[in-house]
Amino acid sequence: MSTLTFPFLRATEKHSDAPQRSSTPDRVLAPLPENLTTERVLAIKHYTDRLFRFRITRPAAFRFRAGEFVMIGLRTEDRPLLRAYSIASPPWDDTLEFYSIIAPSGPLTSRLCHIKPGDEVLMARKPTGTLVLDALTPASRLFVLSTGTGFAPFASLLREPETYTKFEKIIVTHTCREAAELRYSEDIVNALPEDPLIGEAAALHVMRYATCTRTSCHRSGRVTDLIGSGKMFSDLSIAPLNPASDRVMVCGSLPFIHDMQAILNAKNFVEGSNAAPADFVVEKAFVG
């Protein structure tokens, strides 16, 4: 799950409360706007004391493209408390999965981390986002580069069959502080060969490159440094980034995004969008 912040949502961030459940029987909750639906939690798994994933019901009419995000939240007495979360499940799934960080003082995540199967959550009716295949022009390789919960949209893209029809090789990077925080991406990538829709293609064409920045693990260091020095490419025995053959998606912390934009611009990659597909795309509003 990636968490994003927009100006029209900031009013709901004014006060931070201690962790509490989303609702109790004696609370009078604000009316539900027409642009939101009420969904039910199906499952939740905590990876660390800071990271968890959860799965909710999916409305029959809800459609999205792999890589998009949607507003998710809880009801309160004043107004719905909402944030934008990348959809981690693929478009063909009949449920919706999200991957979240827990901010102890965060008005939403401090509550959301306590949800249980059967609890109510809110979801907007329309998804959006820039990390979609339509925003890239054709090429041989796709690099999906992430930090923290920025891996969430790529969990969807990696399970989307169209990804494998458009690219011959997919290189997945995920950088976190500690090895335990890499488990979600590890679980997703390790399960790809068993996927009934893309298993054979994923087994042949997906490469994962995971690094830690604060504790020792198999590989250490910021992926931007490892790209800049060329070590990532030598570790994987692949050619360096080249706009003639490669396309790139970036999702993570703002410093990471800015550093990757500088690297890609220096290599003459052109930033794309839904309206003007090109060489790379980033999720500019990501803050987690």
Side-chain angles (χ1 to χ4, degrees), residues 1-287:
M1 173 236 33
S2 59
T3 306
L4 304 99
T5 301
F6 297 91
F8 69 89
L9 295 174
R10 290 174 183 156
T12 64
E13 284 282 0
K14 289 181 179 179
H15 301 288
S16 298
D17 301 319
Q20 55 181 284
R21 294 292 306 278
S22 60
S23 64
T24 55
D26 59 343
R27 296 171 68 192
V28 178
L29 303 178
L32 188 64
E34 292 184 0
N35 65 330
L36 300 177
T37 67
T38 300
E39 304 304 323
R40 293 290 171 182
V41 176
L42 300 173
I44 182 168
K45 177 178 179 179
H46 287 261
Y47 285 86
T48 71
D49 60 357
R50 298 179 65 251
L51 298 167
F52 69 102
R53 69 172 171 85
F54 61 99
R55 188 171 286 271
I56 66 173
T57 53
R58 176 178 178 173
F62 185 77
R63 299 289 182 269
F64 70 95
R65 294 176 295 175
E68 290 189 314
F69 63 82
V70 68
M71 305 306 297
I72 291 289
L74 299 171
R75 299 180 75 172
T76 70
E77 296 93 333
D78 298 326
R79 69 185 74 185
L81 184 59
L82 301 167
R83 297 292 177 272
Y85 277 72
S86 292
I87 303 169
S89 49
W92 49 261
D93 201 331
D94 59 2
T95 65
L96 297 171
E97 182 173 287
F98 302 92
Y99 185 45
S100 179
I101 193 168
I102 302 171
S105 60
L108 179 58
T109 62
S110 63
R111 294 172 168 88
L112 197 62
C113 66
H114 296 292
I115 56 175
K116 305 190 311 296
D119 284 352
E120 175 188 284
V121 296
L122 304 180
M123 187 180 76
R125 297 181 185 275
K126 292 185 178 182
T128 188
T130 58
L131 297 175
V132 294
L133 296 172
D134 292 340
L136 298 175
T137 53
S140 298
R141 300 189 302 182
L142 173 65
F143 286 77
V144 293
L145 314 178
S146 65
T147 62
T149 52
F151 176 77
F154 304 142
S156 180
L157 282 155
L158 289 169
R159 291 180 282 181
E160 166 56 59
E162 185 183 1
T163 304
Y164 299 90
T165 66
K166 290 193 170 184
F167 299 96
E168 299 172 8
K169 186 70 69 175
I170 298 130
I171 297 89
V172 183
T173 81
H174 191 203
T175 299
C176 294
R177 301 180 309 167
E178 304 171 357
E181 297 175 343
L182 297 168
R183 285 172 53 203
Y184 182 68
S185 65
E186 182 179 16
D187 288 349
I188 293 294
V189 174
N190 286 349
L192 292 177
E194 307 304 320
D195 190 291
L197 294 181
I198 50 86
E200 183 175 354
L204 294 172
H205 302 299
V206 174
M207 306 175 74
R208 177 175 174 266
Y209 191 80
T211 69
C212 300
T213 59
R214 294 193 183 178
T215 61
S216 59
C217 57
H218 180 59
R219 293 190 181 95
S220 297
R222 299 182 183 279
V223 72
T224 47
D225 294 335
L226 298 169
I227 289 173
S229 68
K231 180 172 172 48
M232 185 183 86
F233 307 103
S234 61
D235 286 346
L236 296 175
S237 299
I238 60 175
L241 285 168
N242 185 335
S245 59
D246 302 327
R247 299 295 173 260
V248 183
M249 291 180 164
V250 183
C251 193
S253 67
L254 287 176
F256 167 66
I257 289 175
H258 292 158
D259 289 346
M260 279 308 311
Q261 284 178 309
I263 289 172
L264 294 170
N265 288 332
K267 294 181 179 294
N268 297 317
F269 280 76
V270 177
E271 187 169 355
S273 67
N274 282 278
D279 304 331
F280 78 96
V281 288
V282 303
E283 189 53 82
K284 297 178 181 178
F286 186 77
V287 296

